[in-house]
């Protein structure tokens, strides 16, 4: 079971790291071309969202892999789940599809619970 948990955690962390780094390094206008919801946030807010996604991805892998403060792994997963819940609310308010925010949030929640139970 722990191998499956590592696989899911790794994939989820990779997705958040890629999405977050794109939001951090790409100018707001270019991100807005791909993601309409960006018109709802300022450039500093977008960079903060991206940075939090990258930090969450690091937090899901590094503590469990090193054994240093492994309790941070589920905390990072739950933090990302909360971010995705806010994203679902934003997309629903804009009457946009809530995909991929909903499944990513559920996956982060499952990973957090998995690390609490099996980690």
């Amino acid at each position: 079971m722990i191998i499956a948990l590592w696989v899911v955690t790794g994939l989820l962390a990779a997705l958040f790291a890629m999405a977050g780094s794109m939001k951090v390094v790409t100018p707001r206008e270019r991100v807005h071309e791909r993601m309409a919801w960006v018109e709802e946030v300022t450039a500093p807010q977008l960079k903060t969202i991206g940075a939090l996604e990258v930090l969450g991805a690091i937090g899901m892998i590094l503590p469990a892999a090193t054994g240093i403060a492994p309790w941070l792994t589920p905390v990072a997963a739950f933090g990302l789940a909360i971010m995705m819940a806010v994203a679902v609310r934003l997309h629903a308010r804009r009457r946009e599809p809530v995909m991929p925010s909903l499944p990513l949030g559920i996956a982060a929640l499952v990973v957090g619970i998995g690390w609490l139970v099996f980690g």
Side-chain angles (χ1 to χ4, degrees):
M1 188 60 158
I2 195 75
I3 293 172
L5 184 58
W6 269 110
V7 169
V8 173
T9 301
L11 290 173
L12 194 60
L15 288 171
F16 276 110
M18 288 186 298
S21 61
M22 183 267 302
K23 290 173 187 140
V24 170
V25 300
T26 307
R28 182 182 178 277
E29 294 75 27
R30 295 224 19 238
V31 176
H32 183 266
E33 292 171 5
R34 294 185 214 160
M35 301 174 184
W37 64 267
V38 172
E39 68 188 26
E40 299 283 329
V41 298
T42 64
Q45 288 172 329
L46 181 65
K47 301 299 182 197
T48 301
I49 291 167
L52 289 173
E53 287 177 347
V54 171
L55 289 173
I58 292 168
M60 284 192 353
I61 298 293
L62 207 54
T66 62
I68 300 171
W71 58 271
L72 287 174
T73 297
V75 170
F78 289 131
L80 289 172
I82 291 168
M83 283 184 63
M84 291 300 99
V86 172
V88 166
R89 185 169 184 266
L90 175 95
H91 291 300
R93 187 182 65 198
R94 290 177 47 86
R95 291 188 169 81
E96 296 176 344
V98 294
M99 302 300 264
S101 299
L102 184 61
L104 282 175
I106 292 169
L109 187 62
V110 167
V111 164
I113 292 169
W115 279 107
L116 284 176
V117 173
F118 299 107

